[in-house]
Amino acid sequence: MAIVMITGASSGFGAATAEIFAQNGYRLILNARRIERLETLKRMLSETYSADVLLLPFDVRDKDAVATAMDTIPASWKQIDVLINNAGLAAGRDLFQDGLVDDWEAMIDTNVKGLLYVTKHAVSGMKERKSGHIINVSSLAGQEVYPMGNVYCATKHAVTALSKGLRMDLLPYHIKVTNISPGLAETEFSMVRFKGDEAKAKAVYEGFDPLQAKDIADVIYFAASRPQHMNLEEITILPTAQSDSRTVVRG
Ligand code: NDP
Ligand code: 8X3
């Protein structure tokens, strides 16, 4: 049975992606920081799909915690076939000149450095086996920049660049790399971005039908389930009401 590892599986895209892979018989390694959330998800996946789930809670920003967790994965779980680098966040939406250094660091450390730490560990087994698939969750913000998106957009541009670089460097090892770039999707993303301000978070999705987590999960699974000779390298997914980062038709 193939093994998928998903970072940021405690909510949003990650949780929905865990469900569709469970439904399709994968064994799942699920990561995030909120252990209770992961335990609830594991229970649901086991009861509903008889899924085999290994929880691997750690903070992707913590280089040593990543190394310890990845090195101590039991032998029967070591062969990660698909790695989904999904853990990420936006912290704040401020003019550059008003931005908080702590927010910048949280985004850079999670979205870029965390992805690198996890991938470095997962890739060594893939390289030995000459097979594997890395799916990076970037964003439309990895293709475009919008006002007050400065550092978040920079981190997602970095993810998109890393997807390209990984694809080139891992080519001799038959490892696929897919970059997924969603537009506006209603998850906990905006609650995190606006630090629990529900009114601000809700306003982001008002007056149109945003993407839902399951929409992204379906596309991720589609990419992961293509035949070996075929790699979907870049997939951009927008709500029908959105044409680019700055244009959404509401009402
Ligand atoms: P959510 O906030 O719902 O989910 C984010 C997930 O990332 C959570 O499971 C969270 O878990 C995890 N996470 C955050 N920080 C860390 C960390 N330091 N270590 C481990 N896990 C972490 O948002 P989405 O599902 O929307 O976001 C998933 C990805 O999609 C992100 O990379 C985001 O940038 C990207 N994205 C989102 C879009 C949107 O509009 N929603 C559009 C385009 C891209 P926990 O807090 O338990 O650690
Ligand atoms: C999340 C979508 O438009 O808020 O990556 O940057 S957006």
PDB file of all heavy atoms in Angstrom, residues 157-188:
ATOM      1  N   HIS A 157       6.297  32.723  -3.935  1.00  0.00           N
ATOM      2  CA  HIS A 157       7.180  32.733  -5.113  1.00  0.00           C
ATOM      3  C   HIS A 157       8.359  31.786  -4.861  1.00  0.00           C
ATOM      4  O   HIS A 157       8.807  31.080  -5.778  1.00  0.00           O
ATOM      5  CB  HIS A 157       7.702  34.142  -5.402  1.00  0.00           C
ATOM      6  CG  HIS A 157       6.770  34.977  -6.247  1.00  0.00           C
ATOM      7  ND1 HIS A 157       5.525  35.394  -5.816  1.00  0.00           N
ATOM      8  CD2 HIS A 157       6.899  35.453  -7.509  1.00  0.00           C
ATOM      9  CE1 HIS A 157       4.942  36.097  -6.774  1.00  0.00           C
ATOM     10  NE2 HIS A 157       5.749  36.149  -7.821  1.00  0.00           N
ATOM     11  N   ALA A 158       8.854  31.775  -3.629  1.00  0.00           N
ATOM     12  CA  ALA A 158       9.974  30.875  -3.303  1.00  0.00           C
ATOM     13  C   ALA A 158       9.537  29.416  -3.442  1.00  0.00           C
ATOM     14  O   ALA A 158      10.289  28.587  -3.968  1.00  0.00           O
ATOM     15  CB  ALA A 158      10.474  31.141  -1.884  1.00  0.00           C
ATOM     16  N   VAL A 159       8.322  29.099  -2.997  1.00  0.00           N
ATOM     17  CA  VAL A 159       7.838  27.712  -3.126  1.00  0.00           C
ATOM     18  C   VAL A 159       7.776  27.321  -4.600  1.00  0.00           C
ATOM     19  O   VAL A 159       8.222  26.231  -4.993  1.00  0.00           O
ATOM     20  CB  VAL A 159       6.452  27.542  -2.447  1.00  0.00           C
ATOM     21  CG1 VAL A 159       5.872  26.153  -2.742  1.00  0.00           C
ATOM     22  CG2 VAL A 159       6.556  27.756  -0.935  1.00  0.00           C
ATOM     23  N   THR A 160       7.242  28.223  -5.429  1.00  0.00           N
ATOM     24  CA  THR A 160       7.133  27.921  -6.863  1.00  0.00           C
ATOM     25  C   THR A 160       8.521  27.735  -7.477  1.00  0.00           C
ATOM     26  O   THR A 160       8.743  26.816  -8.273  1.00  0.00           O
ATOM     27  CB  THR A 160       6.328  29.043  -7.569  1.00  0.00           C
ATOM     28  OG1 THR A 160       5.009  29.051  -6.998  1.00  0.00           O
ATOM     29  CG2 THR A 160       6.220  28.817  -9.067  1.00  0.00           C
ATOM     30  N   ALA A 161       9.471  28.579  -7.070  1.00  0.00           N
ATOM     31  CA  ALA A 161      10.846  28.439  -7.584  1.00  0.00           C
ATOM     32  C   ALA A 161      11.459  27.124  -7.118  1.00  0.00           C
ATOM     33  O   ALA A 161      12.140  26.436  -7.885  1.00  0.00           O
ATOM     34  CB  ALA A 161      11.699  29.621  -7.114  1.00  0.00           C
ATOM     35  N   LEU A 162      11.200  26.763  -5.862  1.00  0.00           N
ATOM     36  CA  LEU A 162      11.748  25.498  -5.350  1.00  0.00           C
ATOM     37  C   LEU A 162      11.151  24.303  -6.068  1.00  0.00           C
ATOM     38  O   LEU A 162      11.843  23.306  -6.311  1.00  0.00           O
ATOM     39  CB  LEU A 162      11.488  25.393  -3.840  1.00  0.00           C
ATOM     40  CG  LEU A 162      12.407  26.272  -2.985  1.00  0.00           C
ATOM     41  CD1 LEU A 162      11.923  26.345  -1.545  1.00  0.00           C
ATOM     42  CD2 LEU A 162      13.847  25.731  -3.037  1.00  0.00           C
ATOM     43  N   SER A 163       9.870  24.387  -6.420  1.00  0.00           N
ATOM     44  CA  SER A 163       9.262  23.278  -7.181  1.00  0.00           C
ATOM     45  C   SER A 163      10.014  23.098  -8.502  1.00  0.00           C
ATOM     46  O   SER A 163      10.334  21.975  -8.899  1.00  0.00           O
ATOM     47  CB  SER A 163       7.780  23.553  -7.475  1.00  0.00           C
ATOM     48  OG  SER A 163       7.039  23.565  -6.273  1.00  0.00           O
ATOM     49  N   LYS A 164      10.327  24.213  -9.148  1.00  0.00           N
ATOM     50  CA  LYS A 164      11.059  24.122 -10.431  1.00  0.00           C
ATOM     51  C   LYS A 164      12.461  23.564 -10.207  1.00  0.00           C
ATOM     52  O   LYS A 164      12.923  22.699 -10.950  1.00  0.00           O
ATOM     53  CB  LYS A 164      11.164  25.507 -11.094  1.00  0.00           C
ATOM     54  CG  LYS A 164       9.825  26.010 -11.614  1.00  0.00           C
ATOM     55  CD  LYS A 164       9.968  27.372 -12.275  1.00  0.00           C
ATOM     56  CE  LYS A 164       8.592  27.867 -12.728  1.00  0.00           C
ATOM     57  NZ  LYS A 164       8.554  29.311 -12.921  1.00  0.00           N
ATOM     58  N   GLY A 165      13.128  24.064  -9.193  1.00  0.00           N
ATOM     59  CA  GLY A 165      14.496  23.616  -8.911  1.00  0.00           C
ATOM     60  C   GLY A 165      14.545  22.147  -8.527  1.00  0.00           C
ATOM     61  O   GLY A 165      15.416  21.394  -8.987  1.00  0.00           O
ATOM     62  N   LEU A 166      13.610  21.723  -7.689  1.00  0.00           N
ATOM     63  CA  LEU A 166      13.559  20.312  -7.283  1.00  0.00           C
ATOM     64  C   LEU A 166      13.323  19.427  -8.499  1.00  0.00           C
ATOM     65  O   LEU A 166      13.932  18.367  -8.648  1.00  0.00           O
ATOM     66  CB  LEU A 166      12.408  20.090  -6.283  1.00  0.00           C
ATOM     67  CG  LEU A 166      12.644  20.557  -4.841  1.00  0.00           C
ATOM     68  CD1 LEU A 166      11.325  20.583  -4.065  1.00  0.00           C
ATOM     69  CD2 LEU A 166      13.631  19.626  -4.138  1.00  0.00           C
ATOM     70  N   ARG A 167      12.426  19.885  -9.363  1.00  0.00           N
ATOM     71  CA  ARG A 167      12.104  19.082 -10.558  1.00  0.00           C
ATOM     72  C   ARG A 167      13.367  18.857 -11.395  1.00  0.00           C
ATOM     73  O   ARG A 167      13.618  17.748 -11.864  1.00  0.00           O
ATOM     74  CB  ARG A 167      11.015  19.786 -11.372  1.00  0.00           C
ATOM     75  CG  ARG A 167      10.345  18.891 -12.400  1.00  0.00           C
ATOM     76  CD  ARG A 167       9.202  19.595 -13.098  1.00  0.00           C
ATOM     77  NE  ARG A 167       8.176  20.051 -12.180  1.00  0.00           N
ATOM     78  CZ  ARG A 167       7.842  21.324 -11.983  1.00  0.00           C
ATOM     79  NH1 ARG A 167       8.446  22.297 -12.652  1.00  0.00           N
ATOM     80  NH2 ARG A 167       6.892  21.644 -11.126  1.00  0.00           N
ATOM     81  N   MET A 168      14.161  19.901 -11.548  1.00  0.00           N
ATOM     82  CA  MET A 168      15.402  19.768 -12.343  1.00  0.00           C
ATOM     83  C   MET A 168      16.393  18.846 -11.654  1.00  0.00           C
ATOM     84  O   MET A 168      16.944  17.938 -12.263  1.00  0.00           O
ATOM     85  CB  MET A 168      16.056  21.149 -12.500  1.00  0.00           C
ATOM     86  CG  MET A 168      15.282  22.073 -13.399  1.00  0.00           C
ATOM     87  SD  MET A 168      15.953  23.747 -13.223  1.00  0.00           S
ATOM     88  CE  MET A 168      14.703  24.662 -14.100  1.00  0.00           C
ATOM     89  N   ASP A 169      16.610  19.078 -10.353  1.00  0.00           N
ATOM     90  CA  ASP A 169      17.673  18.336  -9.660  1.00  0.00           C
ATOM     91  C   ASP A 169      17.299  16.877  -9.416  1.00  0.00           C
ATOM     92  O   ASP A 169      18.175  16.019  -9.330  1.00  0.00           O
ATOM     93  CB  ASP A 169      18.002  19.030  -8.326  1.00  0.00           C
ATOM     94  CG  ASP A 169      18.616  20.407  -8.559  1.00  0.00           C
ATOM     95  OD1 ASP A 169      18.952  20.729  -9.725  1.00  0.00           O
ATOM     96  OD2 ASP A 169      18.735  21.173  -7.586  1.00  0.00           O
ATOM     97  N   LEU A 170      16.006  16.607  -9.306  1.00  0.00           N
ATOM     98  CA  LEU A 170      15.583  15.234  -8.988  1.00  0.00           C
ATOM     99  C   LEU A 170      15.212  14.440 -10.237  1.00  0.00           C
ATOM    100  O   LEU A 170      14.863  13.265 -10.148  1.00  0.00           O
ATOM    101  CB  LEU A 170      14.397  15.265  -8.004  1.00  0.00           C
ATOM    102  CG  LEU A 170      14.732  15.906  -6.653  1.00  0.00           C
ATOM    103  CD1 LEU A 170      13.483  16.024  -5.780  1.00  0.00           C
ATOM    104  CD2 LEU A 170      15.804  15.101  -5.914  1.00  0.00           C
ATOM    105  N   LEU A 171      15.336  15.084 -11.385  1.00  0.00           N
ATOM    106  CA  LEU A 171      14.965  14.438 -12.656  1.00  0.00           C
ATOM    107  C   LEU A 171      15.652  13.076 -12.860  1.00  0.00           C
ATOM    108  O   LEU A 171      14.990  12.099 -13.231  1.00  0.00           O
ATOM    109  CB  LEU A 171      15.285  15.391 -13.812  1.00  0.00           C
ATOM    110  CG  LEU A 171      14.678  15.075 -15.177  1.00  0.00           C
ATOM    111  CD1 LEU A 171      13.157  15.117 -15.135  1.00  0.00           C
ATOM    112  CD2 LEU A 171      15.202  16.064 -16.221  1.00  0.00           C
ATOM    113  N   PRO A 172      16.959  12.970 -12.575  1.00  0.00           N
ATOM    114  CA  PRO A 172      17.622  11.666 -12.803  1.00  0.00           C
ATOM    115  C   PRO A 172      17.063  10.549 -11.928  1.00  0.00           C
ATOM    116  O   PRO A 172      17.336   9.388 -12.181  1.00  0.00           O
ATOM    117  CB  PRO A 172      19.086  11.938 -12.428  1.00  0.00           C
ATOM    118  CG  PRO A 172      19.224  13.409 -12.393  1.00  0.00           C
ATOM    119  CD  PRO A 172      17.890  13.984 -12.085  1.00  0.00           C
ATOM    120  N   TYR A 173      16.315  10.914 -10.893  1.00  0.00           N
ATOM    121  CA  TYR A 173      15.806   9.894  -9.960  1.00  0.00           C
ATOM    122  C   TYR A 173      14.322   9.585 -10.181  1.00  0.00           C
ATOM    123  O   TYR A 173      13.693   8.948  -9.344  1.00  0.00           O
ATOM    124  CB  TYR A 173      16.056  10.360  -8.516  1.00  0.00           C
ATOM    125  CG  TYR A 173      17.511  10.671  -8.281  1.00  0.00           C
ATOM    126  CD1 TYR A 173      17.963  11.990  -8.305  1.00  0.00           C
ATOM    127  CD2 TYR A 173      18.440   9.647  -8.105  1.00  0.00           C
ATOM    128  CE1 TYR A 173      19.306  12.283  -8.137  1.00  0.00           C
ATOM    129  CE2 TYR A 173      19.789   9.932  -7.938  1.00  0.00           C
ATOM    130  CZ  TYR A 173      20.219  11.245  -7.959  1.00  0.00           C
ATOM    131  OH  TYR A 173      21.540  11.534  -7.808  1.00  0.00           O
ATOM    132  N   HIS A 174      13.793  10.066 -11.283  1.00  0.00           N
ATOM    133  CA  HIS A 174      12.388   9.793 -11.645  1.00  0.00           C
ATOM    134  C   HIS A 174      11.409  10.275 -10.574  1.00  0.00           C
ATOM    135  O   HIS A 174      10.366   9.666 -10.358  1.00  0.00           O
ATOM    136  CB  HIS A 174      12.183   8.297 -11.918  1.00  0.00           C
ATOM    137  CG  HIS A 174      13.201   7.724 -12.852  1.00  0.00           C
ATOM    138  ND1 HIS A 174      13.267   8.073 -14.180  1.00  0.00           N
ATOM    139  CD2 HIS A 174      14.225   6.861 -12.635  1.00  0.00           C
ATOM    140  CE1 HIS A 174      14.276   7.436 -14.749  1.00  0.00           C
ATOM    141  NE2 HIS A 174      14.885   6.702 -13.830  1.00  0.00           N
ATOM    142  N   ILE A 175      11.779  11.326  -9.870  1.00  0.00           N
ATOM    143  CA  ILE A 175      10.892  11.867  -8.828  1.00  0.00           C
ATOM    144  C   ILE A 175      10.066  12.997  -9.450  1.00  0.00           C
ATOM    145  O   ILE A 175      10.613  13.933 -10.034  1.00  0.00           O
ATOM    146  CB  ILE A 175      11.715  12.379  -7.621  1.00  0.00           C
ATOM    147  CG1 ILE A 175      12.481  11.201  -6.990  1.00  0.00           C
ATOM    148  CG2 ILE A 175      10.805  13.058  -6.605  1.00  0.00           C
ATOM    149  CD1 ILE A 175      13.491  11.615  -5.930  1.00  0.00           C
ATOM    150  N   LYS A 176       8.763  12.863  -9.323  1.00  0.00           N
ATOM    151  CA  LYS A 176       7.889  13.899  -9.887  1.00  0.00           C
ATOM    152  C   LYS A 176       7.774  15.068  -8.901  1.00  0.00           C
ATOM    153  O   LYS A 176       7.763  14.855  -7.680  1.00  0.00           O
ATOM    154  CB  LYS A 176       6.472  13.351 -10.081  1.00  0.00           C
ATOM    155  CG  LYS A 176       6.341  12.157 -11.002  1.00  0.00           C
ATOM    156  CD  LYS A 176       4.844  11.909 -11.192  1.00  0.00           C
ATOM    157  CE  LYS A 176       4.571  10.555 -11.791  1.00  0.00           C
ATOM    158  NZ  LYS A 176       3.155  10.397 -12.148  1.00  0.00           N
ATOM    159  N   VAL A 177       7.632  16.266  -9.435  1.00  0.00           N
ATOM    160  CA  VAL A 177       7.363  17.433  -8.582  1.00  0.00           C
ATOM    161  C   VAL A 177       6.211  18.220  -9.189  1.00  0.00           C
ATOM    162  O   VAL A 177       6.256  18.602 -10.365  1.00  0.00           O
ATOM    163  CB  VAL A 177       8.609  18.342  -8.440  1.00  0.00           C
ATOM    164  CG1 VAL A 177       8.298  19.523  -7.521  1.00  0.00           C
ATOM    165  CG2 VAL A 177       9.802  17.553  -7.899  1.00  0.00           C
ATOM    166  N   THR A 178       5.188  18.433  -8.382  1.00  0.00           N
ATOM    167  CA  THR A 178       4.002  19.167  -8.833  1.00  0.00           C
ATOM    168  C   THR A 178       3.823  20.399  -7.956  1.00  0.00           C
ATOM    169  O   THR A 178       3.921  20.314  -6.724  1.00  0.00           O
ATOM    170  CB  THR A 178       2.746  18.271  -8.714  1.00  0.00           C
ATOM    171  OG1 THR A 178       2.900  17.139  -9.576  1.00  0.00           O
ATOM    172  CG2 THR A 178       1.483  19.028  -9.112  1.00  0.00           C
ATOM    173  N   ASN A 179       3.569  21.524  -8.584  1.00  0.00           N
ATOM    174  CA  ASN A 179       3.317  22.771  -7.849  1.00  0.00           C
ATOM    175  C   ASN A 179       1.833  23.120  -7.991  1.00  0.00           C
ATOM    176  O   ASN A 179       1.325  23.225  -9.101  1.00  0.00           O
ATOM    177  CB  ASN A 179       4.177  23.889  -8.459  1.00  0.00           C
ATOM    178  CG  ASN A 179       4.306  25.097  -7.553  1.00  0.00           C
ATOM    179  OD1 ASN A 179       4.793  24.985  -6.433  1.00  0.00           O
ATOM    180  ND2 ASN A 179       3.878  26.248  -8.029  1.00  0.00           N
ATOM    181  N   ILE A 180       1.165  23.282  -6.843  1.00  0.00           N
ATOM    182  CA  ILE A 180      -0.270  23.565  -6.860  1.00  0.00           C
ATOM    183  C   ILE A 180      -0.482  25.023  -6.443  1.00  0.00           C
ATOM    184  O   ILE A 180       0.012  25.449  -5.387  1.00  0.00           O
ATOM    185  CB  ILE A 180      -1.022  22.654  -5.850  1.00  0.00           C
ATOM    186  CG1 ILE A 180      -0.719  21.173  -6.102  1.00  0.00           C
ATOM    187  CG2 ILE A 180      -2.509  22.953  -5.826  1.00  0.00           C
ATOM    188  CD1 ILE A 180      -1.586  20.480  -7.085  1.00  0.00           C
ATOM    189  N   SER A 181      -1.208  25.771  -7.245  1.00  0.00           N
ATOM    190  CA  SER A 181      -1.374  27.201  -6.973  1.00  0.00           C
ATOM    191  C   SER A 181      -2.848  27.591  -6.877  1.00  0.00           C
ATOM    192  O   SER A 181      -3.460  27.980  -7.878  1.00  0.00           O
ATOM    193  CB  SER A 181      -0.694  28.017  -8.079  1.00  0.00           C
ATOM    194  OG  SER A 181       0.689  27.730  -8.094  1.00  0.00           O
ATOM    195  N   PRO A 182      -3.418  27.492  -5.692  1.00  0.00           N
ATOM    196  CA  PRO A 182      -4.827  27.880  -5.531  1.00  0.00           C
ATOM    197  C   PRO A 182      -4.996  29.389  -5.362  1.00  0.00           C
ATOM    198  O   PRO A 182      -4.130  30.076  -4.832  1.00  0.00           O
ATOM    199  CB  PRO A 182      -5.265  27.164  -4.242  1.00  0.00           C
ATOM    200  CG  PRO A 182      -4.130  26.245  -3.864  1.00  0.00           C
ATOM    201  CD  PRO A 182      -2.902  26.847  -4.472  1.00  0.00           C
ATOM    202  N   GLY A 183      -6.162  29.853  -5.794  1.00  0.00           N
ATOM    203  CA  GLY A 183      -6.595  31.217  -5.466  1.00  0.00           C
ATOM    204  C   GLY A 183      -7.386  31.177  -4.176  1.00  0.00           C
ATOM    205  O   GLY A 183      -7.120  30.347  -3.292  1.00  0.00           O
ATOM    206  N   LEU A 184      -8.408  32.038  -4.079  1.00  0.00           N
ATOM    207  CA  LEU A 184      -9.106  32.200  -2.801  1.00  0.00           C
ATOM    208  C   LEU A 184      -9.910  30.960  -2.400  1.00  0.00           C
ATOM    209  O   LEU A 184     -10.844  30.562  -3.104  1.00  0.00           O
ATOM    210  CB  LEU A 184     -10.048  33.405  -2.889  1.00  0.00           C
ATOM    211  CG  LEU A 184      -9.333  34.765  -2.939  1.00  0.00           C
ATOM    212  CD1 LEU A 184     -10.282  35.856  -3.444  1.00  0.00           C
ATOM    213  CD2 LEU A 184      -8.773  35.131  -1.566  1.00  0.00           C
ATOM    214  N   ALA A 185      -9.557  30.394  -1.279  1.00  0.00           N
ATOM    215  CA  ALA A 185     -10.214  29.185  -0.778  1.00  0.00           C
ATOM    216  C   ALA A 185     -10.598  29.397   0.685  1.00  0.00           C
ATOM    217  O   ALA A 185      -9.780  29.887   1.479  1.00  0.00           O
ATOM    218  CB  ALA A 185      -9.279  27.994  -0.902  1.00  0.00           C
ATOM    219  N   GLU A 186     -11.818  29.006   1.019  1.00  0.00           N
ATOM    220  CA  GLU A 186     -12.317  29.262   2.376  1.00  0.00           C
ATOM    221  C   GLU A 186     -11.904  28.125   3.312  1.00  0.00           C
ATOM    222  O   GLU A 186     -12.489  27.044   3.304  1.00  0.00           O
ATOM    223  CB  GLU A 186     -13.836  29.415   2.362  1.00  0.00           C
ATOM    224  CG  GLU A 186     -14.359  29.979   3.663  1.00  0.00           C
ATOM    225  CD  GLU A 186     -15.809  30.412   3.552  1.00  0.00           C
ATOM    226  OE1 GLU A 186     -16.484  30.002   2.593  1.00  0.00           O
ATOM    227  OE2 GLU A 186     -16.257  31.154   4.449  1.00  0.00           O
ATOM    228  N   THR A 187     -10.882  28.395   4.098  1.00  0.00           N
ATOM    229  CA  THR A 187     -10.386  27.451   5.111  1.00  0.00           C
ATOM    230  C   THR A 187     -10.163  28.286   6.374  1.00  0.00           C
ATOM    231  O   THR A 187     -10.731  29.366   6.502  1.00  0.00           O
ATOM    232  CB  THR A 187      -9.046  26.834   4.653  1.00  0.00           C
ATOM    233  OG1 THR A 187      -8.115  27.912   4.480  1.00  0.00           O
ATOM    234  CG2 THR A 187      -9.191  26.073   3.338  1.00  0.00           C
ATOM    235  N   GLU A 188      -9.266  27.832   7.233  1.00  0.00           N
ATOM    236  CA  GLU A 188      -8.920  28.662   8.401  1.00  0.00           C
ATOM    237  C   GLU A 188      -7.833  29.695   8.050  1.00  0.00           C
ATOM    238  O   GLU A 188      -7.372  30.442   8.905  1.00  0.00           O
ATOM    239  CB  GLU A 188      -8.436  27.762   9.547  1.00  0.00           C
ATOM    240  CG  GLU A 188      -9.548  26.891  10.085  1.00  0.00           C
ATOM    241  CD  GLU A 188      -9.078  25.905  11.161  1.00  0.00           C
ATOM    242  OE1 GLU A 188      -8.028  26.131  11.786  1.00  0.00           O
ATOM    243  OE2 GLU A 188      -9.780  24.909  11.359  1.00  0.00           O
TER     244      GLU A 188
END
